[in-house]
Amino acid sequence: MIPEYLYNAKLKTSSNDLDDFKAVYKFFKPKLFIIANSYVPSKEDAEEIVHDVLIKLWEKRGKLDVKSNYVGYIYSMTRNACLDYLRAHKNKLSKVLISDQQELWLNYNALSNDAYSTIIVNELQNLVDNAIADLPEKCQKVFIKSRVDGLGHKEISEELKISTKTVENHITRALRELRVVLKEYLPILFF
């Protein structure tokens, strides 16, 4: 049986039943998590905030004097808890952002230095060549004709006697494989 407060979102102020708490928790947790996660960058911290809000709500259920909108009250509690978290962790969060910016700056400086840049370009070229060599034969041919020879999809399909959709599929697969191989380098390449 679904408790009354799930229909009208009002808490039974006299209830001490653990099943009622579990039902409230289960009902509100996903909704509150979405709100908390929109404010707080870490999923773990957002889950902890939601947990704390629901515990606080349950502990104060006998003292609550909300006349109309319980759902709005609970959402406001979550928003305020997120804002409190952000205020408390303001310095820590800005230090994390600063360290990320420093890492990107170091990557940029390394790429702007010609000696290091040449080393990285050679390393990337070897990774790309190896990734292309590991592709299935047809996929490899299509990718080389597209990206190295500069042929269009229609030209490749006519030359290899395959459909343009097959050409697109081969290119998509090749690019997916390259993304996996180059995942460490993508932030550097697109800085």
Side-chain angles (χ1 to χ4, degrees):
M1 180 169 157
I2 299 175
E4 171 190 322
Y5 48 77
L6 294 184
Y7 286 116
N8 63 13
K10 291 185 177 181
L11 296 172
K12 294 180 184 177
T13 56
S14 62
S15 176
N16 287 322
D17 189 7
L18 186 59
D19 289 335
D20 287 343
F21 173 72
K22 287 179 182 176
V24 168
Y25 195 91
K26 185 176 180 182
F27 181 75
F28 282 108
K29 184 182 179 201
K31 296 165 180 57
L32 298 180
F33 176 77
I34 292 170
I35 293 170
N37 201 32
S38 69
Y39 285 96
V40 177
S42 165
K43 288 183 180 185
E44 293 81 18
D45 291 337
E47 285 180 5
E48 187 175 328
I49 288 170
V50 169
H51 179 76
D52 292 345
V53 165
L54 290 171
I55 295 287
K56 187 185 295 185
L57 179 71
W58 187 254
E59 289 171 348
K60 294 184 177 189
R61 70 191 176 283
K63 301 172 192 165
L64 287 177
D65 190 28
V66 179
K67 300 285 187 225
S68 59
N69 189 355
Y70 278 91
V71 174
Y73 179 77
I74 294 168
Y75 289 171
S76 293
M77 281 181 67
T78 304
R79 181 181 54 88
N80 291 338
C82 290
L83 294 174
D84 290 343
Y85 170 87
L86 291 172
R87 259 185 241 108
H89 292 83
K90 180 179 169 184
N91 291 334
K92 180 181 174 187
L93 290 173
S94 64
K95 287 177 185 173
V96 169
L97 291 175
I98 288 171
S99 70
D100 287 346
Q101 290 171 343
Q102 288 174 341
E103 182 179 341
L104 289 173
W105 180 250
L106 288 172
N107 290 341
Y108 173 77
N109 284 335
L111 286 174
S112 64
N113 184 325
D114 286 336
Y116 294 124
S117 186
T118 304
I119 293 170
I120 291 174
V121 166
N122 290 338
E123 185 177 337
L124 284 172
Q125 187 63 51
N126 287 337
L127 285 172
V128 170
D129 291 343
N130 290 338
I132 292 172
D134 289 343
L135 292 172
E137 185 179 343
K138 269 278 205 220
C139 186
Q140 185 179 13
K141 281 182 184 176
V142 169
F143 186 76
I144 290 172
K145 289 188 180 300
S146 171
R147 296 305 195 255
V148 177
D149 299 340
L151 298 178
H153 293 191
K154 189 171 183 162
E155 295 169 314
I156 297 169
S157 69
E158 290 170 358
E159 188 175 317
L160 297 178
K161 297 179 181 26
I162 56 176
S163 72
T164 55
K165 189 66 178 170
T166 304
V167 170
E168 290 173 16
N169 289 338
H170 283 305
I171 291 172
T172 300
R173 180 179 180 180
L175 291 173
R176 189 177 331 122
E177 296 290 326
L178 284 171
R179 271 190 218 101
V180 169
V181 170
L182 300 173
K183 69 181 174 215
E184 296 175 24
Y185 294 94
L186 290 178
I188 297 170
L189 294 173
F190 297 112
F191 177 69

